[in-house]
Amino acid sequence: MGSRFDEMRIFSGNGNPDLTRLICERVGVPQGDATIVRFSNENIFVRLNESVREKDVFVVQSLSTPNLSDRVMELLIMLDACRRASAGRVTAVIPYFAYGRTDKKDQPRVPITARLLADMIQAAGAHQVLTIDLHAGQIQGFFNIPTDELTAMHLLVRYWADKGWDDMIVVSPDVGFAKRGRNFAEALGAPLAISEKRRVQHFGRHDGSHTSAEILNLIGDVAGKRCIVVDDEIATGGSILEVVQLLEREGAREIYACCVHPVFTASAVQRLSNSGIQELVTTDTLPLPPDKRWPSLTILSVSHLIAEVIQRIHSGVSVDTIFTQRNHPALGR
Ligand code: R5P
């Protein structure tokens, strides 16, 4: 199918420039020329150094740390620049959507920042959004513009499937991830175990006092098995390392882990690299500079997937068939 736009342009914010470079290589277009400046007063300024009039424009910006707020502002300002330069259509490509954990009002007087961010992206001029594995599916509904949420889980499944192991068990680190864990296990043809956090109350016998503590409980049998713990993101590493300790206690033979988004904050790298995880597999939705890498970390690229989807969006072709054909090249590394 032909495109209703003669040309496309792909611009990059500073959120993950290496990923944008790979996407442009795979699409076969030069990266759009833009200048992004942060002045001494911390104001960010963007200039597109080429015309985008009536073009199909993709702005790639992962909402990464450090300087997350700058990354958010860069994205908004780039979208505004595209709109004011009469772009024909503007797609915000956000490989990692931050604030995904602030997606509901679960305490009094708290914000829903994921919704606020979605509103700002639309107000800035995005006509549509392309993102990968949102922390919670309901965030899709925070946008009133077309939103394609891709998944990198197929990439991860294929990686483990290629190992050819017959004693794998997939482990969901919490009940909230159990459904996605179930899909992952099914795709891999492996059983599923679920780690579950429970609050246990202890009542004092004589004084009526009570204390409570959280304990992790495992649903499933991992003894003697190769465990693959799967999660959407790892930030501090706290959640996954608790699960690793539980699996060690339960007699797992070997423990592996994977996640789509390597947020890796604070001391995560040091803790993860010194843990009982034999290999951690992730993707490049977020930048991984040398100080966030270690020998048993494997990084799969989502650039093939994003490049294929950008081409399909540009040409008005369905993206669905990428995911229904398990061996589609866009789901490879
Ligand atoms: C929780 O709901 C998520 O799926 C992850 O488990 C969580 O975001 C990881 O955070 P951290 O690594 O800081 O425990």
Side-chain angles (χ1 to χ4, degrees), residues 17-18 26 45 53 81 114 137 158 165 192 216 249 276 320 330:
D18 288 347
R26 309 217 188 288
F45 174 76
R53 188 173 297 277
R158 195 191 269 190
W165 294 334
L192 175 73
L216 271 191
R249 289 198 297 275
D320 177 47

Side-chain angles (χ1 to χ4, degrees), residues 101 135 174 231-239:
R101 289 202 250 179
H135 182 62
D174 54 45
D231 211 343
D232 59 331
E233 66 176 47
I234 296 177
T236 62
S239 313

Side-chain angles (χ1 to χ4, degrees), residues 269-282:
V269 170
Q270 194 239 331
R271 296 166 76 199
L272 291 164
S273 58
N274 291 312
S275 72
I277 301 173
Q278 305 248 341
E279 182 182 5
L280 176 57
V281 182
T282 189

Side-chain angles (χ1 to χ4, degrees), residues 21-37:
R21 186 178 45 74
L22 287 174
I23 293 169
C24 290
E25 270 175 36
R26 309 217 188 288
V27 174
V29 295
Q31 190 173 306
D33 184 7
T35 303
I36 304 173
V37 184

